[in-house]
């Protein structure tokens, strides 16, 4: 196989230079090449996180996760101390079905407390794994719930008060695949690790000795300068089929990616954060921000080489490009994954289904509206307080949440727990956005206002709150987060939330 693109990757090109299309063939930076660490030599095979189907009895399924630490080989030439679940870095992909009763035992074998949150899952707040559910070192937390979500790619990660970014950066993250009867019936690539491939995107900074640089950058926290896919740099995927589905998760603490293939080939988006789209949508680029997922299907010719890249946003995602604004990396162009097509005799792939699922619209004509204004580092002028209820929901109907990024120069990425939503509209920005399908996290360029039709899981509980927050984890950890409580009609929230953790601010 020829790795022709290997010397053409760039990262952190100079500010103000927009990625250019050269001869319509390959997207490369218009200025000097700066190869990130770990990308110079031979690529390594893309690691596939193990598929964990749990221990099943009928529709009851049990999983065991152990948070642990150890040395992993993110870089080819040295080891890095990392955290992981059931291993030293990242975690297994958990497979669940809609309607399953799930039980998870999570044992914390680290020497500090952490939590585990089920991102995108509709479930009782006591099982949600937010900052109110710390798992002390040496102890085990055992949430249980019934899977109410449709087929989707979800994920799990820590949600530790003030430390979510650091814990995720160290490697505590894994995917969840939910399947249901509708996804079973579809002729989409679905052989895990063969033609159904998880891609966990992260970025890191390294010290000279290979250890993670855990110093927060001003305004950027733990944003990295070295991209990784499934925990390594310079990963290569040898396809064995002519059609591959990638389940892509942005597990980075701060970085947005603008995904594209090196030859600008079209691909099909088949699922958003919270499940399948009504029909595949053809794209040549696709933005993904911290916490978001997309599933795409791409066709590959035998023996060909192609590279999945991040090509930078031509409009810098609406972020000013000046000396006063932190460099959020919105114009960075770099390779993520080199891919080689299958052997010549690989069978022809079937055509993609024209329809994936029935489109569902929420009736929000009479819905309760609420407004949320995000500005550094607060929401509606309030920073996170674990004993304050910001929103009380006392019904089981959808709501319209109107979310504004009030910063003129910073992006944000708004996530709601226990919910899925449709993006009804985005105003206040010229950035071209793609927000099809059910989502649980939405990117907000500077000045943008998004109207969201939100459907919550209804598990009334006056004591345990859910979170809404910016999923740029430095922002979340600095306080850009609030709490909502769902109760029965006419009921109030409890005087003391959760187990009473956190100081009440008067
Ligand atoms: Cu933010």
């Amino acid at each position: 196989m020829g790795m022709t693109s290997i010397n053409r990757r760039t990262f952190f090109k100079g500010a103000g230079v927009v990625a250019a299309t050269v001869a319509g063939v390959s997207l490369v930076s218009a200025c000097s090449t700066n190869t990130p660490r770990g990308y110079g030599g031979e690529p390594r095979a893309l690691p596939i996180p193990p598929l964990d189907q749990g221990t099943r009895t009928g529709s009851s399924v049990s999983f065991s996760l152990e948070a642990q630490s150890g040395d992993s080989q993110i870089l080819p030439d040295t080891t890095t101390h990392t955290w992981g679940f059931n291993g030293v870095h990242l975690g297994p992909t958990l497979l669940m079905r809609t309607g399953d009763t799930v039980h998870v035992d999570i044992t914390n074998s680290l020497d500090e407390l952490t939590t585990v949150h089920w991102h995108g899952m509709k479930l009782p707040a006591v099982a949600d794994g937010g900052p109110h559910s710390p798992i002390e070192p040496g102890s085990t937390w055992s949430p249980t719930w019934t899977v109410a979500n449709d087929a989707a790619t979800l994920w799990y990660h820590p949600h530790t008060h003030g430390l979510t970014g650091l814990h995720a950066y160290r490697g505590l993250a894994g995917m969840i695949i939910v399947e249901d009867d509708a996804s079973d019936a579809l002729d989409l690539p679905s052989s895990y690790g063969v033609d159904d491939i998880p891609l966990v995107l992260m970025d890191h900074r390294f010290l000279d000795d290979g250890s993670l640089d855990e110093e927060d950058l001003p305004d950027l926290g733990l944003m990295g300068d070295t991209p990784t896919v499934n925990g390594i740099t310079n990963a290569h995927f040898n396809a064995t089929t002519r059609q591959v589905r990638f389940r892509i998760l942005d597990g980075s603490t701060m970085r947005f990616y603008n995904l594209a293939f090196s030859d600008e080939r079209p691909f099909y988006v088949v699922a958003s954060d919270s499940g399948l789209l009504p029909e595949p949508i053809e794209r040549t680029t696709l933005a993904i921000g911290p916490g978001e997922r997309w599933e795409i299907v791409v066709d590959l010719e035998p023996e060909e080489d192609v590279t999945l890249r991040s090509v930078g946003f031509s409009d810098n995602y609406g972020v000013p490009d000046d000396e006063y604004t932190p460099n959020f990396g919105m114009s960075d162009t770099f390779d993520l994954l080199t891919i080689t097509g299958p052997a010549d005799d690989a069978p022809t792939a079937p055509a993609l289904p024209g329809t994936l699922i029935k489109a569902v619209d929420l009736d929000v004509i009479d819905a309760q509206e609420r407004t949320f204004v995000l500005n550094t580092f607060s929401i509606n002028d309030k920073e996170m307080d674990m004993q304050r209820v910001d929103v009380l929901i006392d019904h089981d109907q959808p709501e319209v949440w109107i979310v504004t990024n009030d910063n003129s120069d910073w992006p944000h990425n708004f996530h709601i727990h226990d919910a899925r939503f449709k993006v009804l509209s985005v105003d206040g920005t010229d950035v071209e956005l793609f927000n099809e399908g059910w989502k649980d996290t939405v990117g907000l360029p500077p000045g943008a206002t998004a109207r969201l039709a939100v459907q919550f899981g209804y598990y009334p509980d006056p004591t345990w709150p859910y979170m809404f927050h910016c999923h740029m984890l430095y922002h979340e950890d600095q306080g850009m987060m609030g709490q909502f409580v769902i109760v029965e009609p006419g009921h109030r929230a409890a005087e003391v939330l959760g187990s009473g953790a956190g100081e009440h601010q008067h």
Side-chain angles (χ1 to χ4, degrees), residues 27 49 54 63 76 83 104 107 126 174 180 201 205 236 244 271 292 300 311 365 368 374 397 416 420 441 450 485:
L27 286 161
F63 297 92
W83 287 4
V104 193
T107 298
V126 70
D180 63 13
L201 312 183
R205 279 178 280 123
H236 180 79
V244 174
E292 293 180 289
L300 299 170
V311 296
I365 290 171
Q368 163 102 45
L374 280 61
Q397 297 302 304
I416 308 173
R420 62 177 186 175
T441 307
V485 172

PDB file of all heavy atoms in Angstrom, residues 27 49 54 63 76 83 104 107 126 174 180 201 205 236 244 271 292 300 311 365 368 374 397 416 420 441 450 485:
ATOM      1  N   LEU A  27      -6.546  18.486   0.436  1.00  0.00           N
ATOM      2  CA  LEU A  27      -6.571  19.669   1.274  1.00  0.00           C
ATOM      3  C   LEU A  27      -5.306  19.722   2.100  1.00  0.00           C
ATOM      4  O   LEU A  27      -5.042  18.844   2.896  1.00  0.00           O
ATOM      5  CB  LEU A  27      -7.783  19.627   2.196  1.00  0.00           C
ATOM      6  CG  LEU A  27      -9.110  19.905   1.502  1.00  0.00           C
ATOM      7  CD1 LEU A  27     -10.247  19.392   2.345  1.00  0.00           C
ATOM      8  CD2 LEU A  27      -9.266  21.377   1.227  1.00  0.00           C
ATOM      9  N   PRO A  49     -11.640  -0.768  20.476  1.00  0.00           N
ATOM     10  CA  PRO A  49     -12.006  -1.086  21.864  1.00  0.00           C
ATOM     11  C   PRO A  49     -12.817  -2.383  21.902  1.00  0.00           C
ATOM     12  O   PRO A  49     -13.648  -2.621  21.023  1.00  0.00           O
ATOM     13  CB  PRO A  49     -12.872   0.113  22.286  1.00  0.00           C
ATOM     14  CG  PRO A  49     -12.501   1.219  21.347  1.00  0.00           C
ATOM     15  CD  PRO A  49     -12.130   0.551  20.054  1.00  0.00           C
ATOM     16  N   GLY A  54     -21.792  -7.656  28.037  1.00  0.00           N
ATOM     17  CA  GLY A  54     -22.284  -7.877  29.386  1.00  0.00           C
ATOM     18  C   GLY A  54     -22.663  -9.328  29.613  1.00  0.00           C
ATOM     19  O   GLY A  54     -22.402 -10.204  28.787  1.00  0.00           O
ATOM     20  N   PHE A  63     -23.064  -5.310  33.490  1.00  0.00           N
ATOM     21  CA  PHE A  63     -21.703  -4.963  33.077  1.00  0.00           C
ATOM     22  C   PHE A  63     -20.857  -4.698  34.315  1.00  0.00           C
ATOM     23  O   PHE A  63     -21.371  -4.265  35.353  1.00  0.00           O
ATOM     24  CB  PHE A  63     -21.706  -3.694  32.216  1.00  0.00           C
ATOM     25  CG  PHE A  63     -22.455  -3.823  30.918  1.00  0.00           C
ATOM     26  CD1 PHE A  63     -23.795  -3.470  30.844  1.00  0.00           C
ATOM     27  CD2 PHE A  63     -21.823  -4.285  29.780  1.00  0.00           C
ATOM     28  CE1 PHE A  63     -24.496  -3.578  29.647  1.00  0.00           C
ATOM     29  CE2 PHE A  63     -22.512  -4.396  28.580  1.00  0.00           C
ATOM     30  CZ  PHE A  63     -23.851  -4.047  28.512  1.00  0.00           C
ATOM     31  N   PRO A  76       4.215   6.268  19.582  1.00  0.00           N
ATOM     32  CA  PRO A  76       4.864   5.014  19.175  1.00  0.00           C
ATOM     33  C   PRO A  76       6.158   4.710  19.925  1.00  0.00           C
ATOM     34  O   PRO A  76       6.532   3.550  20.054  1.00  0.00           O
ATOM     35  CB  PRO A  76       5.148   5.232  17.682  1.00  0.00           C
ATOM     36  CG  PRO A  76       5.147   6.705  17.488  1.00  0.00           C
ATOM     37  CD  PRO A  76       4.205   7.268  18.500  1.00  0.00           C
ATOM     38  N   TRP A  83      -5.446   6.668  32.264  1.00  0.00           N
ATOM     39  CA  TRP A  83      -6.541   6.017  32.967  1.00  0.00           C
ATOM     40  C   TRP A  83      -7.442   5.320  31.953  1.00  0.00           C
ATOM     41  O   TRP A  83      -7.542   5.755  30.800  1.00  0.00           O
ATOM     42  CB  TRP A  83      -7.379   7.043  33.735  1.00  0.00           C
ATOM     43  CG  TRP A  83      -6.723   7.597  34.967  1.00  0.00           C
ATOM     44  CD1 TRP A  83      -5.460   7.339  35.420  1.00  0.00           C
ATOM     45  CD2 TRP A  83      -7.310   8.508  35.899  1.00  0.00           C
ATOM     46  NE1 TRP A  83      -5.227   8.032  36.584  1.00  0.00           N
ATOM     47  CE2 TRP A  83      -6.346   8.759  36.903  1.00  0.00           C
ATOM     48  CE3 TRP A  83      -8.549   9.131  35.988  1.00  0.00           C
ATOM     49  CZ2 TRP A  83      -6.597   9.616  37.976  1.00  0.00           C
ATOM     50  CZ3 TRP A  83      -8.797   9.982  37.057  1.00  0.00           C
ATOM     51  CH2 TRP A  83      -7.823  10.216  38.050  1.00  0.00           C
ATOM     52  N   VAL A 104     -24.918  -1.901  36.149  1.00  0.00           N
ATOM     53  CA  VAL A 104     -23.469  -1.749  35.981  1.00  0.00           C
ATOM     54  C   VAL A 104     -22.813  -1.640  37.353  1.00  0.00           C
ATOM     55  O   VAL A 104     -23.249  -0.846  38.192  1.00  0.00           O
ATOM     56  CB  VAL A 104     -23.101  -0.491  35.157  1.00  0.00           C
ATOM     57  CG1 VAL A 104     -21.630  -0.547  34.744  1.00  0.00           C
ATOM     58  CG2 VAL A 104     -23.979  -0.351  33.928  1.00  0.00           C
ATOM     59  N   THR A 107     -16.285  -0.095  39.688  1.00  0.00           N
ATOM     60  CA  THR A 107     -15.348  -0.082  40.808  1.00  0.00           C
ATOM     61  C   THR A 107     -14.242   0.914  40.529  1.00  0.00           C
ATOM     62  O   THR A 107     -13.665   0.930  39.438  1.00  0.00           O
ATOM     63  CB  THR A 107     -14.761  -1.492  41.018  1.00  0.00           C
ATOM     64  OG1 THR A 107     -15.831  -2.376  41.336  1.00  0.00           O
ATOM     65  CG2 THR A 107     -13.736  -1.493  42.154  1.00  0.00           C
ATOM     66  N   VAL A 126     -30.807   9.469  39.614  1.00  0.00           N
ATOM     67  CA  VAL A 126     -29.943   8.819  40.605  1.00  0.00           C
ATOM     68  C   VAL A 126     -28.946   7.880  39.925  1.00  0.00           C
ATOM     69  O   VAL A 126     -27.897   7.553  40.485  1.00  0.00           O
ATOM     70  CB  VAL A 126     -30.801   8.062  41.656  1.00  0.00           C
ATOM     71  CG1 VAL A 126     -31.476   6.839  41.045  1.00  0.00           C
ATOM     72  CG2 VAL A 126     -29.981   7.691  42.876  1.00  0.00           C
ATOM     73  N   GLY A 174     -15.613   5.753  27.049  1.00  0.00           N
ATOM     74  CA  GLY A 174     -15.931   4.591  26.226  1.00  0.00           C
ATOM     75  C   GLY A 174     -17.244   4.810  25.505  1.00  0.00           C
ATOM     76  O   GLY A 174     -18.024   5.694  25.865  1.00  0.00           O
ATOM     77  N   ASP A 180     -31.786  -1.643  18.398  1.00  0.00           N
ATOM     78  CA  ASP A 180     -33.209  -1.933  18.586  1.00  0.00           C
ATOM     79  C   ASP A 180     -33.733  -2.667  17.350  1.00  0.00           C
ATOM     80  O   ASP A 180     -32.961  -2.973  16.427  1.00  0.00           O
ATOM     81  CB  ASP A 180     -34.005  -0.653  18.894  1.00  0.00           C
ATOM     82  CG  ASP A 180     -33.979   0.364  17.761  1.00  0.00           C
ATOM     83  OD1 ASP A 180     -33.552   0.009  16.631  1.00  0.00           O
ATOM     84  OD2 ASP A 180     -34.381   1.519  17.991  1.00  0.00           O
ATOM     85  N   LEU A 201     -12.236  10.288  18.995  1.00  0.00           N
ATOM     86  CA  LEU A 201     -11.273  11.352  18.705  1.00  0.00           C
ATOM     87  C   LEU A 201     -10.936  12.099  19.990  1.00  0.00           C
ATOM     88  O   LEU A 201     -11.827  12.500  20.737  1.00  0.00           O
ATOM     89  CB  LEU A 201     -11.854  12.351  17.695  1.00  0.00           C
ATOM     90  CG  LEU A 201     -12.512  11.795  16.436  1.00  0.00           C
ATOM     91  CD1 LEU A 201     -12.954  12.945  15.533  1.00  0.00           C
ATOM     92  CD2 LEU A 201     -11.568  10.859  15.696  1.00  0.00           C
ATOM     93  N   ARG A 205      -1.638  16.954  24.913  1.00  0.00           N
ATOM     94  CA  ARG A 205      -0.305  17.565  24.888  1.00  0.00           C
ATOM     95  C   ARG A 205       0.610  16.675  25.721  1.00  0.00           C
ATOM     96  O   ARG A 205       0.176  16.126  26.736  1.00  0.00           O
ATOM     97  CB  ARG A 205      -0.342  18.977  25.493  1.00  0.00           C
ATOM     98  CG  ARG A 205      -0.829  20.047  24.527  1.00  0.00           C
ATOM     99  CD  ARG A 205      -0.894  21.416  25.196  1.00  0.00           C
ATOM    100  NE  ARG A 205      -2.093  21.551  25.995  1.00  0.00           N
ATOM    101  CZ  ARG A 205      -2.111  21.840  27.291  1.00  0.00           C
ATOM    102  NH1 ARG A 205      -0.973  22.013  27.955  1.00  0.00           N
ATOM    103  NH2 ARG A 205      -3.244  21.943  27.948  1.00  0.00           N
ATOM    104  N   HIS A 236      -3.908   3.572  11.483  1.00  0.00           N
ATOM    105  CA  HIS A 236      -4.244   3.129  10.128  1.00  0.00           C
ATOM    106  C   HIS A 236      -5.303   2.039  10.182  1.00  0.00           C
ATOM    107  O   HIS A 236      -5.213   1.109  10.986  1.00  0.00           O
ATOM    108  CB  HIS A 236      -3.005   2.589   9.411  1.00  0.00           C
ATOM    109  CG  HIS A 236      -3.304   2.117   8.018  1.00  0.00           C
ATOM    110  ND1 HIS A 236      -3.446   2.988   6.964  1.00  0.00           N
ATOM    111  CD2 HIS A 236      -3.532   0.882   7.523  1.00  0.00           C
ATOM    112  CE1 HIS A 236      -3.734   2.304   5.866  1.00  0.00           C
ATOM    113  NE2 HIS A 236      -3.799   1.024   6.176  1.00  0.00           N
ATOM    114  N   VAL A 244     -17.928   1.020   4.749  1.00  0.00           N
ATOM    115  CA  VAL A 244     -17.599   1.024   6.170  1.00  0.00           C
ATOM    116  C   VAL A 244     -18.433   2.087   6.872  1.00  0.00           C
ATOM    117  O   VAL A 244     -18.635   3.182   6.367  1.00  0.00           O
ATOM    118  CB  VAL A 244     -16.090   1.304   6.394  1.00  0.00           C
ATOM    119  CG1 VAL A 244     -15.779   1.447   7.883  1.00  0.00           C
ATOM    120  CG2 VAL A 244     -15.245   0.192   5.787  1.00  0.00           C
ATOM    121  N   ALA A 271     -26.570   8.683  11.214  1.00  0.00           N
ATOM    122  CA  ALA A 271     -27.082   8.868  12.577  1.00  0.00           C
ATOM    123  C   ALA A 271     -26.417  10.071  13.221  1.00  0.00           C
ATOM    124  O   ALA A 271     -25.253  10.382  12.944  1.00  0.00           O
ATOM    125  CB  ALA A 271     -26.850   7.626  13.432  1.00  0.00           C
ATOM    126  N   GLU A 292     -20.165  15.277  21.016  1.00  0.00           N
ATOM    127  CA  GLU A 292     -21.092  14.883  19.948  1.00  0.00           C
ATOM    128  C   GLU A 292     -20.672  13.573  19.283  1.00  0.00           C
ATOM    129  O   GLU A 292     -19.516  13.177  19.327  1.00  0.00           O
ATOM    130  CB  GLU A 292     -21.164  15.986  18.886  1.00  0.00           C
ATOM    131  CG  GLU A 292     -21.807  17.267  19.396  1.00  0.00           C
ATOM    132  CD  GLU A 292     -21.866  18.335  18.318  1.00  0.00           C
ATOM    133  OE1 GLU A 292     -20.809  18.882  17.958  1.00  0.00           O
ATOM    134  OE2 GLU A 292     -22.966  18.618  17.842  1.00  0.00           O
ATOM    135  N   LEU A 300     -15.437   2.494  -0.217  1.00  0.00           N
ATOM    136  CA  LEU A 300     -13.998   2.376  -0.452  1.00  0.00           C
ATOM    137  C   LEU A 300     -13.749   1.492  -1.669  1.00  0.00           C
ATOM    138  O   LEU A 300     -14.355   0.424  -1.802  1.00  0.00           O
ATOM    139  CB  LEU A 300     -13.315   1.760   0.774  1.00  0.00           C
ATOM    140  CG  LEU A 300     -13.437   2.553   2.079  1.00  0.00           C
ATOM    141  CD1 LEU A 300     -12.937   1.721   3.253  1.00  0.00           C
ATOM    142  CD2 LEU A 300     -12.665   3.865   1.988  1.00  0.00           C
ATOM    143  N   VAL A 311     -10.284  19.341   8.488  1.00  0.00           N
ATOM    144  CA  VAL A 311      -9.804  20.309   7.494  1.00  0.00           C
ATOM    145  C   VAL A 311      -9.939  21.763   7.940  1.00  0.00           C
ATOM    146  O   VAL A 311      -9.667  22.673   7.173  1.00  0.00           O
ATOM    147  CB  VAL A 311     -10.524  20.130   6.141  1.00  0.00           C
ATOM    148  CG1 VAL A 311     -10.183  18.772   5.562  1.00  0.00           C
ATOM    149  CG2 VAL A 311     -12.027  20.298   6.279  1.00  0.00           C
ATOM    150  N   ILE A 365     -46.004  23.368  20.087  1.00  0.00           N
ATOM    151  CA  ILE A 365     -46.756  24.615  19.887  1.00  0.00           C
ATOM    152  C   ILE A 365     -47.092  25.280  21.220  1.00  0.00           C
ATOM    153  O   ILE A 365     -46.962  26.489  21.374  1.00  0.00           O
ATOM    154  CB  ILE A 365     -48.048  24.331  19.077  1.00  0.00           C
ATOM    155  CG1 ILE A 365     -47.662  23.980  17.634  1.00  0.00           C
ATOM    156  CG2 ILE A 365     -48.983  25.539  19.104  1.00  0.00           C
ATOM    157  CD1 ILE A 365     -48.803  23.471  16.798  1.00  0.00           C
ATOM    158  N   GLN A 368     -43.690  24.768  27.118  1.00  0.00           N
ATOM    159  CA  GLN A 368     -43.000  25.688  28.024  1.00  0.00           C
ATOM    160  C   GLN A 368     -41.677  26.112  27.391  1.00  0.00           C
ATOM    161  O   GLN A 368     -40.901  25.279  26.927  1.00  0.00           O
ATOM    162  CB  GLN A 368     -42.728  24.962  29.337  1.00  0.00           C
ATOM    163  CG  GLN A 368     -41.686  25.606  30.225  1.00  0.00           C
ATOM    164  CD  GLN A 368     -42.290  26.387  31.371  1.00  0.00           C
ATOM    165  OE1 GLN A 368     -43.215  25.919  32.042  1.00  0.00           O
ATOM    166  NE2 GLN A 368     -41.779  27.584  31.586  1.00  0.00           N
ATOM    167  N   LEU A 374     -25.422  31.810  27.741  1.00  0.00           N
ATOM    168  CA  LEU A 374     -24.089  31.347  28.124  1.00  0.00           C
ATOM    169  C   LEU A 374     -23.088  32.476  27.946  1.00  0.00           C
ATOM    170  O   LEU A 374     -23.004  33.076  26.865  1.00  0.00           O
ATOM    171  CB  LEU A 374     -23.663  30.159  27.253  1.00  0.00           C
ATOM    172  CG  LEU A 374     -24.215  28.774  27.610  1.00  0.00           C
ATOM    173  CD1 LEU A 374     -25.725  28.728  27.517  1.00  0.00           C
ATOM    174  CD2 LEU A 374     -23.598  27.708  26.720  1.00  0.00           C
ATOM    175  N   GLN A 397     -44.033  16.686  29.354  1.00  0.00           N
ATOM    176  CA  GLN A 397     -44.168  17.166  27.978  1.00  0.00           C
ATOM    177  C   GLN A 397     -42.844  17.749  27.469  1.00  0.00           C
ATOM    178  O   GLN A 397     -41.992  18.143  28.261  1.00  0.00           O
ATOM    179  CB  GLN A 397     -45.251  18.257  27.922  1.00  0.00           C
ATOM    180  CG  GLN A 397     -46.631  17.758  28.311  1.00  0.00           C
ATOM    181  CD  GLN A 397     -47.088  16.619  27.421  1.00  0.00           C
ATOM    182  OE1 GLN A 397     -47.135  16.758  26.203  1.00  0.00           O
ATOM    183  NE2 GLN A 397     -47.376  15.465  28.024  1.00  0.00           N
ATOM    184  N   ILE A 416     -27.598  18.638  27.194  1.00  0.00           N
ATOM    185  CA  ILE A 416     -28.653  18.434  28.189  1.00  0.00           C
ATOM    186  C   ILE A 416     -28.701  16.945  28.539  1.00  0.00           C
ATOM    187  O   ILE A 416     -28.790  16.097  27.646  1.00  0.00           O
ATOM    188  CB  ILE A 416     -30.034  18.867  27.650  1.00  0.00           C
ATOM    189  CG1 ILE A 416     -29.980  20.289  27.084  1.00  0.00           C
ATOM    190  CG2 ILE A 416     -31.087  18.759  28.754  1.00  0.00           C
ATOM    191  CD1 ILE A 416     -31.273  20.710  26.378  1.00  0.00           C
ATOM    192  N   ARG A 420     -33.218  14.142  24.510  1.00  0.00           N
ATOM    193  CA  ARG A 420     -32.795  14.308  23.125  1.00  0.00           C
ATOM    194  C   ARG A 420     -33.569  15.503  22.591  1.00  0.00           C
ATOM    195  O   ARG A 420     -34.644  15.835  23.096  1.00  0.00           O
ATOM    196  CB  ARG A 420     -33.078  13.056  22.292  1.00  0.00           C
ATOM    197  CG  ARG A 420     -34.541  12.688  22.184  1.00  0.00           C
ATOM    198  CD  ARG A 420     -34.740  11.464  21.286  1.00  0.00           C
ATOM    199  NE  ARG A 420     -36.170  11.200  21.080  1.00  0.00           N
ATOM    200  CZ  ARG A 420     -36.656  10.270  20.264  1.00  0.00           C
ATOM    201  NH1 ARG A 420     -35.829   9.502  19.560  1.00  0.00           N
ATOM    202  NH2 ARG A 420     -37.953  10.089  20.126  1.00  0.00           N
ATOM    203  N   THR A 441     -26.384  17.383  22.114  1.00  0.00           N
ATOM    204  CA  THR A 441     -25.349  18.396  22.275  1.00  0.00           C
ATOM    205  C   THR A 441     -25.362  19.239  21.005  1.00  0.00           C
ATOM    206  O   THR A 441     -25.430  18.683  19.905  1.00  0.00           O
ATOM    207  CB  THR A 441     -23.964  17.728  22.449  1.00  0.00           C
ATOM    208  OG1 THR A 441     -24.034  16.768  23.508  1.00  0.00           O
ATOM    209  CG2 THR A 441     -22.884  18.743  22.772  1.00  0.00           C
ATOM    210  N   ALA A 450     -29.821  29.111  19.545  1.00  0.00           N
ATOM    211  CA  ALA A 450     -30.463  27.896  19.036  1.00  0.00           C
ATOM    212  C   ALA A 450     -31.787  27.687  19.757  1.00  0.00           C
ATOM    213  O   ALA A 450     -31.870  27.836  20.979  1.00  0.00           O
ATOM    214  CB  ALA A 450     -29.552  26.688  19.245  1.00  0.00           C
ATOM    215  N   VAL A 485     -34.402  19.625  37.858  1.00  0.00           N
ATOM    216  CA  VAL A 485     -35.026  18.541  38.606  1.00  0.00           C
ATOM    217  C   VAL A 485     -36.385  18.275  37.967  1.00  0.00           C
ATOM    218  O   VAL A 485     -37.121  19.211  37.637  1.00  0.00           O
ATOM    219  CB  VAL A 485     -35.175  18.919  40.097  1.00  0.00           C
ATOM    220  CG1 VAL A 485     -35.993  17.872  40.843  1.00  0.00           C
ATOM    221  CG2 VAL A 485     -33.804  19.078  40.744  1.00  0.00           C
TER     222      VAL A 485
END
